[in-house]
């Protein structure tokens, strides 16, 4: 339901109050699953504690990452073909079984197979969940609702390690993975019992009289320009965990300075992202993406200058606001412009290159740091600016692309 005339866009409170009941469940599930998403952070420590070598643990972690990348593509195709609810239930059930199974792996190869499966199933539900959110949310609220989704992710990622520390202090590594598995199973059960009645696809992947799939997505050249921009943004963004700690300590600062920069980043995202979305949701969808990616690139270029703590904090503030401006629109865009029969595939097609960027980015950033020192920020800053150019060309900055008819505003859950 687009905002007519010059009427003010929906407020944060109005958006939350009028959120569809299924969307509320998906948002809550996103929060819980991220609060207990211990696998990525603790898998290597767990395996080495069990007696695996660092190399063997690295192989299992790599398998997990490969599974996560492939999971988006598999989940997107399955969601468009079989329906969102079925994919969410199956994905969560599979994740629960495989995550618990990691506690009992006898060797590296079995561990790699189980981890790859767990990574795939854990990621497969996301295109289905995001596509369902798109279909049940009026267009003028997409950016705000995805900002709320991002907030739940960031809160979960911030508080999750505290929960993990408590489990490790009072229980064991095994308990860590059993809790992770239990939350996935609980979400799957809730999806089975509660997520009924709202419209979703599930009649096969016939559309417009012919069989469709990722080839049709790839034929959308403007969308693929945006996808390239998302990949470049991911390569730049992940340097906050890859090149930045090396750069900070390599310039004579302690680890405490890096911790301060991480805190600044997290605080800005949690405090400002939803608030700023109240204004960015008024803009053509490509404009905040373009501005945010460019600001992210500028923030990285500031790192390439002098390195007193104040400048490092300034650079972090700049690129973090780029993230805050761009990210909700980046999440909303694929589902907003996708044909209904391919909505989950479009979302998956945007997610896979981002995950690939997060996987390749550390290799690129560390190699660039070793070869060029501060030149790494020239490279990643250029990635941010190039991403902005790709998005401006693909999504445009002055209008929205045509999209499927939006849903009527669903009543809030009682």
């Amino acid at each position: 339901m687009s905002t007519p005339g010059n009427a003010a866009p929906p407020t944060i409170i109005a958006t939350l109050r009028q959120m569809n009941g299924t969307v509320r469940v998906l948002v809550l599930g996103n929060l819980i699953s991220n609060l207990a998403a211990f696998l990525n952070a603790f898998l290597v420590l767990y395996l080495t504690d069990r007696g695996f070598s660092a190399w063997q643990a690295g192989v299992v972690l790599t398998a997990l990452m490969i599974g996560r990348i492939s999971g988006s593509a598999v989940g997107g195709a399955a969601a468009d073909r079989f329906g969102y609810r079925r994919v969410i239930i199956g994905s969560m059930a599979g994740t629960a079984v495989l995550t618990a199974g990691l506690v009992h792996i006898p060797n590296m190869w079995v561990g790699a197979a189980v981890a790859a499966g767990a990574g795939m199933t854990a990621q497969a539900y996301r295109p289905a969940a995001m596509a369902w959110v798109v279909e049940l949310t009026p267009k003028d609220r997409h950016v705000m609702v995805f900002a709320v989704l991002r907030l739940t992710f960031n809160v979960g990622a911030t508080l999750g390690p505290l929960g993990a520390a408590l489990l490790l202090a009072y229980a064991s590594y095994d308990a860590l993975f059993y809790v992770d598995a239990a939350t996935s199973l609980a979400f799957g059960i809730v999806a089975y019992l509660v997520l009924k009645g709202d419209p979703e696809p599930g009649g096969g992947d016939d559309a417009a009289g012919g069989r469709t799939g990722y080839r049709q997505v790839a034929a959308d050249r403007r969308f693929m320009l945006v996808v390239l921009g998302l990949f470049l943004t991911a390569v730049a963004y992940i340097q906050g965990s890859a090149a930045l700690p090396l750069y900070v300590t390599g310039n004579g600062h302690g680890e405490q300075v890096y911790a301060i920069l991480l805190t600044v980043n997290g605080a800005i995202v949690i405090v400002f992202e939803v608030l700023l979305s109240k204004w960015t949701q008024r803009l053509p969808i490509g404009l905040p993406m373009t501005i945010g990616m460019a600001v992210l690139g500028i923030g990285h270029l500031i790192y390439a200058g002098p390195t007193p703590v104040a400048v490092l904090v300034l650079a972090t503030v700049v690129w973090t606001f780029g993230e805050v401006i761009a990210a909700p629109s980046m999440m909303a865009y694929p589902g907003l412009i996708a044909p209904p029969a391919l909505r989950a595939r479009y979302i998956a097609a945007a997610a896979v290159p981002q995950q690939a960027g997060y996987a390749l980015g550390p290799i690129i950033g560390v190699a660039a740091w070793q070869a060029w020192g501060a030149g790494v920020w020239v490279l990643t800053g250029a990635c941010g600016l190039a991403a902005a150019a790709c998005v401006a060309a693909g999504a445009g900055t002055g209008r929205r692309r045509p999209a499927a008819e939006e849903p009527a505003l669903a009543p809030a859950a009682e």
Side-chain angles (χ1 to χ4, degrees):
M1 184 169 59
S2 301
T3 305
N6 294 320
T11 64
I12 298 171
I13 299 300
T15 298
L16 294 175
R17 283 179 176 171
Q18 297 171 344
M19 191 179 287
N20 175 277
T22 291
V23 175
R24 289 184 178 183
V25 171
L26 295 174
V27 169
L28 181 61
N30 189 61
L31 172 62
I32 294 172
S33 63
N34 282 292
L35 277 171
F38 303 133
L39 203 55
N40 288 10
F42 292 93
L43 181 59
V44 169
L45 292 175
Y46 170 70
L47 291 174
T48 53
D49 183 71
R50 284 274 309 274
F52 289 81
S53 69
W55 180 81
Q56 290 173 324
V59 169
V60 177
L61 180 63
T62 299
L64 176 70
M65 293 299 103
I66 292 172
R68 289 179 65 84
I69 292 172
S70 63
S72 290
V74 172
D80 282 336
R81 185 176 179 86
F82 300 113
Y84 304 148
R85 179 173 173 268
R86 290 178 181 177
V87 170
I88 292 170
I89 294 169
S91 172
M92 290 297 99
T95 302
V97 171
L98 292 166
T99 301
L102 281 168
V103 176
H104 306 285
I105 56 173
N107 56 58
M108 179 188 73
W109 298 114
V110 174
V114 174
M120 184 179 72
T121 55
Q123 199 65 28
Y125 97 93
R126 295 189 184 276
M130 291 173 65
W132 215 353
V133 169
V134 167
E135 294 193 4
L136 297 175
T137 303
K139 288 180 193 173
D140 62 344
R141 304 186 182 203
H142 281 182
V143 171
M144 178 69 71
V145 169
F146 277 105
V148 172
L149 268 174
R150 282 255 310 165
L151 177 63
T152 61
F153 173 84
N154 286 307
V155 170
T158 300
L159 298 181
L162 299 177
L166 291 174
L167 284 170
L168 290 176
Y170 294 102
S172 66
Y173 273 117
D174 289 4
L176 206 65
F177 292 111
Y178 285 137
V179 168
D180 192 335
T183 56
S184 297
L185 181 61
F187 186 20
I189 292 172
V190 169
Y192 177 77
L193 296 175
V194 177
L195 298 184
K196 298 177 181 179
D198 283 308
E200 56 169 322
D205 52 2
D206 270 2
R211 193 170 178 82
T212 63
Y214 283 112
R215 284 182 295 180
Q216 183 171 333
V217 179
D220 186 341
R221 295 181 180 178
R222 289 180 59 194
F223 177 66
M224 296 312 292
L225 275 174
V226 175
V227 167
L228 176 58
L230 296 176
F231 170 77
L232 293 172
T233 302
V235 170
Y237 174 78
I238 199 63
Q239 302 312 321
S241 301
L244 185 57
L246 298 175
Y247 185 68
V248 169
T249 57
N251 280 282
H253 301 293
E255 291 83 355
Q256 298 87 345
V257 172
Y258 176 62
I260 290 171
L261 300 183
L262 289 182
T263 302
V264 168
N265 169 258
I268 291 174
V269 170
I270 290 173
V271 172
F272 288 101
E273 189 161 279
V274 173
L275 294 175
L276 283 179
S277 294
K278 180 180 177 181
W279 286 275
T280 58
Q281 69 180 344
R282 308 179 188 185
L283 305 174
I285 191 71
L287 187 57
M289 290 195 292
T290 301
I291 293 172
M293 292 174 182
V295 171
L296 184 145
I298 292 169
H300 279 217
L301 291 174
I302 294 173
Y303 280 137
T307 59
V309 173
V311 174
L312 296 177
V313 170
L314 172 64
T316 302
V317 169
V318 171
W319 73 256
T320 300
F321 270 102
E323 174 191 357
V324 165
I325 293 167
S329 297
M330 286 165 56
M331 290 184 69
Y333 179 76
L336 183 66
I337 57 92
L342 295 173
R343 182 163 282 131
R345 282 186 175 93
Y346 264 73
I347 291 170
V352 169
Q354 290 181 79
Q355 292 159 2
Y358 295 145
L360 294 174
I363 300 172
I364 295 170
V366 171
W369 156 247
Q370 291 177 334
W372 304 319
V376 63
W377 304 115
V378 177
L379 174 63
T380 60
C383 283
L385 296 176
C390 289
V391 169
T397 57
R399 58 187 174 87
R400 295 178 184 265
R401 278 183 48 174
E405 186 175 349
E406 61 185 310
L409 183 61
E414 296 296 333

